[in-house]
Amino acid sequence: MPEPDTADQDGDVLPLFNGVDLHGTVEFPGCGSYAGKDFGDLQFSKPLAVIRPANTDDVAKVIRLASRSPHLTVAASGNGHSVNGQAMAHRGLVLDMKAVESEIHVDPTTAVADVSGGALWEDVLRHCVLGHGLAPRSWTDYLGLTVGGTLSNAGVSGQAFIYGPQTENVTEMEVVTGNGDVLVCSKNQNTELFFGVLGGLGQFGVITRARVLLQPAPDMVRWIRVVYSDFSEFTRDAESLVTRPEGDSFDYVEGFVFVNSDDPVNGWMSVPLDPDQYFDPARIPRSAGPVLYCLEVALHYKNEDSPSEVDMRVEKLIGGLRFIEELRFRVDVGYIEFLLRVKRAEEEAKANGIWDAPHPWLNLFVSKTDIADFDRVVFKNILKHGVGGPMLVYPLLRSKWDNRKSVVLPQGEIFYLVALLRFCFPYPKGLSVGEMVVQNQEIIQSCTKNGFDFKLYLPHYNTREGWKHHFGNQWTRFQDRKATFDPMAILAPGQKIFPRNWQPHDINF
């Protein structure tokens, strides 16, 4: 263990590490520590120490160590892609979960994989597909995230209407609770911990291993985008696709909003799937408004499937959809290439200097009952000039989510993911970071004022009242789980839900 720079530390923490036998390493970083900021680049903190645990036992030792102090907290950090400081621990301890040796063990006979909580989904993808011809069933759009990180939130993408989010595709986990206990949990063992941790925002335990369901991986993907000028037709077709019987729809359904202009980032050219494809604006109806809509679908197939057979399947599935016929784009790509599509965007953004800029992202779940009004108030008005990045919107099915887990959703069977994936460009263009944050607040306030049924996804609130309103009638259950599995509120302080040493029965809390 390295000697700390005692001039830069809270003296209280140093004696705690004496005699703690960790197989991993401990760093006492300065103010510029990577653990003090995240992908959002909006909030900053200074942890007292960054621990790179070698194994689950190290994680448990660090949490037990923190419990011996009246104020220390512990945050598990994955690949640093939070946008509001959720994985930070100001003057606390940060666990770099990527440091734990990444283990991916596939059992082809039962079609499951046991993976480390700090493993990246992109590594799980390659290992399972290339080594065994199998793949997890549910994904996120971006795979440079850790398994434990997405399972602590939900993990959604275009497959969720079939299989549910990633939290619905895990059968067992190893978790280190806020008590420092290492527990294996499933639907039949330590069930309250299992349901609590999935979507639990890191409040009840650190996921060190997860057993993920697999299925046979396809070889290829027919990737299609079609354009709409009318939001009601866009949502009607999207909802039709996600509510068809299993096997009678595409394997992936998403959608996004784009600006009806030649803006190179927000406009027409954000739709074509290949540089050689041309978006002809003359095809847009004169009645179109300031924004247009793109329905994005994909069909899996095998190398031995004939092109004509794939064409027939696609035409059968897409027949009857009411998109603008002349604005249809397609490419055929390998399955791994398709799932890593955002990785290519990341590489381009890094080359352009955009990836490391602030990302004031906003993610919402909006009920079907309010999505048309949301379009009118937000997309067609507040965001009619775009956000300098993708504006995703696509339907999900509540019946695919187990309500025993900690994620909170709007009411009704169909609700929409709305993801405003803002990028701040390093040159004078569009809104400043501060203006984007203010615009996000305006969107949330508009939803509240109009009485929309919505929930923040990847939520962040600064007040107890905000969190109580977020959880609604699930707040008591959430508090009870905290009292059981992390009674001293050691874990995930960056979420700002429970203060250290909170009292669950304190009426002032």
Side-chain angles (χ1 to χ4, degrees):
M1 188 179 300
E3 287 294 320
D5 177 3
T6 56
D8 193 35
Q9 305 312 313
D10 179 346
D12 290 354
V13 76
L14 298 179
L16 290 173
F17 281 98
N18 293 334
V20 177
D21 182 22
L22 297 178
H23 290 88
T25 61
V26 180
E27 293 181 6
F28 296 90
C31 294
S33 164
Y34 81 95
K37 68 173 190 173
D38 58 18
F39 186 64
D41 205 26
L42 302 170
Q43 301 199 23
F44 306 91
S45 70
K46 183 182 176 184
L48 292 179
V50 177
I51 297 94
R52 294 187 169 83
N55 50 38
T56 299
D57 191 44
D58 277 358
V59 173
K61 287 178 179 177
V62 169
I63 293 173
R64 291 181 203 132
L65 177 150
S67 71
R68 299 200 291 269
S69 162
H71 58 80
L72 272 181
T73 56
V74 177
S77 176
N79 208 19
H81 276 81
S82 297
V83 295
N84 282 298
Q86 290 96 327
M88 296 181 191
H90 184 64
R91 301 195 71 74
L93 310 178
V94 173
L95 290 164
D96 179 2
M97 296 303 294
K98 298 195 311 301
V100 179
E101 184 179 357
S102 180
E103 296 184 357
I104 305 168
H105 300 294
V106 175
D107 183 349
T109 59
T110 57
V112 297
D114 279 296
V115 298
S116 304
L120 298 181
W121 282 108
E122 60 189 38
D123 295 331
V124 176
L125 168 68
R126 292 190 182 95
H127 183 96
C128 292
V129 174
L130 299 178
H132 304 276
L134 298 169
R137 307 191 306 176
S138 190
W139 296 98
T140 54
D141 286 340
Y142 176 62
L143 303 189
L145 306 170
T146 61
V147 170
T150 66
L151 295 182
S152 296
N153 289 281
V156 295
S157 185
Q159 310 84 9
F161 76 97
I162 305 173
Y163 302 108
Q166 290 183 315
T167 49
E168 299 299 323
N169 291 274
V170 174
T171 61
E172 182 181 284
M173 293 180 293
E174 178 185 75
V175 173
V176 184
T177 70
N179 296 313
D181 298 324
V182 180
L183 300 175
V184 174
C185 58
S186 67
K187 288 184 178 180
N188 301 313
Q189 179 182 5
N190 294 313
T191 55
E192 196 66 21
L193 179 63
F194 178 77
F195 292 126
V197 165
L198 291 170
L201 307 175
Q203 291 300 305
F204 315 120
V206 178
I207 300 170
T208 52
R209 178 182 61 82
R211 181 165 294 167
V212 179
L213 292 171
L214 306 177
Q215 64 180 0
D219 299 312
M220 298 293 294
V221 172
R222 171 72 55 86
W223 185 8
I224 301 168
R225 287 177 174 173
V226 293
V227 173
Y228 295 75
S229 62
D230 184 272
F231 187 67
S232 64
E233 291 188 345
F234 165 78
T235 54
R236 184 167 48 195
D237 284 355
E239 290 172 17
S240 167
L241 290 176
V242 303
T243 54
R244 292 178 183 178
E246 191 168 335
D248 290 342
S249 188
F250 288 96
D251 298 292
Y252 162 100
V253 176
E254 286 198 12
F256 60 91
V257 182
F258 62 102
V259 176
N260 187 7
S261 80
D262 61 357
D263 183 305
V265 174
N266 301 288
W268 305 321
M269 292 315 297
S270 63
V271 177
L273 290 164
D274 185 278
D276 295 331
Q277 295 174 347
Y278 174 64
F279 187 107
D280 184 0
R283 302 298 184 181
I284 302 169
R286 292 182 179 273
S287 59
V291 296
L292 302 169
Y293 313 94
C294 179
L295 184 60
E296 183 174 54
V297 297
L299 181 73
H300 299 165
Y301 63 96
K302 303 293 286 186
N303 285 332
E304 57 266 26
D305 294 339
S306 69
S308 61
E309 181 185 351
V310 176
D311 291 342
M312 287 177 59
R313 288 164 60 194
V314 167
E315 293 310 312
K316 179 182 178 183
L317 293 173
I318 215 167
L321 301 187
R322 285 149 289 202
F323 56 90
I324 302 170
E325 187 60 41
E326 297 84 358
L327 293 177
R328 174 176 172 177
F329 305 89
R330 58 159 267 199
V331 293
D332 289 81
V333 296
Y335 179 63
I336 291 179
E337 181 184 354
F338 174 72
L339 288 176
L340 293 178
R341 62 196 179 280
V342 182
K343 187 75 172 181
R344 296 191 298 278
E346 175 189 5
E347 292 165 354
E348 292 173 6
K350 285 181 175 178
N352 296 330
I354 299 170
W355 193 253
D356 293 327
H359 300 91
W361 288 6
L362 179 64
N363 295 271
L364 308 164
F365 291 141
V366 182
S367 171
K368 169 187 172 176
T369 59
D370 295 310
I371 197 64
D373 286 332
F374 184 95
D375 169 64
R376 175 180 54 81
V377 172
V378 179
F379 290 137
K380 286 190 174 81
N381 183 17
I382 299 174
L383 301 178
K384 62 186 176 183
H385 299 299
V387 299
M391 296 190 289
L392 304 183
V393 56
Y394 58 89
L396 299 165
L397 303 179
R398 186 183 180 92
S399 57
K400 300 293 182 178
W401 301 60
D402 190 325
N403 60 17
R404 291 173 291 182
K405 293 169 185 170
S406 291
V407 185
V408 288
L409 304 172
Q411 296 300 310
E413 168 62 357
I414 297 176
F415 62 97
Y416 280 75
L417 171 77
V418 175
L420 307 178
L421 308 182
R422 304 171 178 275
F423 284 84
C424 294
F425 296 91
Y427 48 86
K429 186 182 178 92
L431 303 178
S432 68
V433 179
E435 289 170 329
M436 287 185 173
V437 171
V438 169
Q439 195 176 70
N440 285 345
Q441 294 169 345
E442 180 188 0
I443 291 167
I444 295 171
Q445 290 167 0
S446 295
C447 290
T448 302
K449 183 179 71 173
N450 284 281
F452 295 165
D453 180 11
F454 78 100
K455 295 293 183 182
L456 290 187
Y457 174 50
L458 310 176
H460 184 73
Y461 299 92
N462 290 315
T463 66
R464 179 195 66 210
E465 288 306 314
W467 282 111
K468 288 179 70 174
H469 182 265
H470 172 77
F471 283 103
N473 59 13
Q474 296 185 34
W475 174 246
T476 299
R477 184 182 71 177
F478 199 81
Q479 274 199 120
D480 289 345
R481 286 171 170 172
K482 187 70 171 180
T484 301
F485 300 114
D486 184 23
M488 290 185 285
I490 290 170
L491 299 177
Q495 297 281 6
K496 299 180 181 177
I497 305 177
F498 299 97
R500 183 72 159 86
N501 293 316
W502 70 296
Q503 297 297 319
H505 303 296
D506 183 351
I507 60 172
N508 296 315
F509 176 74

